[in-house]
Amino acid sequence: EETTSFLQSLLNAHGTNYLESLFGPKARNSLELLGGVQNVAIVLSESQTIDDFAQSLDLTYRDMENLKMIFLSIEQGDLGILSAIGIEDSEIGDMKFFFEKLINTGFLD
C-alpha cells in the first residue's frame, strides 16, 4: 500500500507518463500496459530481484537494463542519475529512500 501511494503521488504530481523514465514506454498512461499502479506496486513488493520484477511485468531487455543502471547508480551514491532522468531536486530524497529500501532487500542480487 505504501508503494502504491508513493507511485500514485508521483503520477498525480507530474502526469501520467512520469514513470516512463524508470520503467520504459510501457509505463505511459499511469502504468496502464504494466497492469496499473497497484499491479506494479504489488509486483515490486513481491519480486525477490530486479530480474524477477522485469520478467513479471514483461519489461524489454533494454528497459530492464536501464532500470538496473538507475538502481546501481543510486547504490553507488550517484544521485545525478535521478536528475538526468527528470527527477526534480525536491524529490531526489524521496526517490533515493524508495530505491534504497528496495536495494536493502537484495533487489539487485
Side-chain angles (χ1 to χ4, degrees), residues 25-79:
K26 288 183 177 182
R28 290 183 185 135
N29 299 313
S30 298
L31 308 171
E32 184 178 352
L33 295 177
L34 298 175
V37 174
Q38 187 166 357
N39 184 59
V40 171
I42 289 168
V43 173
L44 260 175
S45 62
E46 292 179 351
S47 297
Q48 296 291 314
T49 67
I50 194 168
D51 293 315
D52 294 342
F53 174 75
Q55 185 175 11
S56 294
L57 292 179
D58 198 27
L59 294 182
T60 66
Y61 179 78
R62 181 175 179 207
D63 292 340
M64 182 187 68
E65 288 299 310
N66 183 57
L67 187 58
K68 276 185 181 180
M69 180 191 66
I70 294 166
F71 269 97
L72 289 169
S73 295
I74 292 167
E75 183 182 42
Q76 295 167 0
D78 177 10
L79 300 182

Side-chain angles (χ1 to χ4, degrees), residues 4-44:
T4 302
S5 296
F6 180 70
L7 295 175
Q8 190 62 59
S9 70
L10 289 173
L11 293 171
N12 290 344
H14 302 286
T16 60
N17 297 331
Y18 186 68
L19 295 173
E20 184 177 352
S21 60
L22 294 179
F23 303 123
K26 288 183 177 182
R28 290 183 185 135
N29 299 313
S30 298
L31 308 171
E32 184 178 352
L33 295 177
L34 298 175
V37 174
Q38 187 166 357
N39 184 59
V40 171
I42 289 168
V43 173
L44 260 175

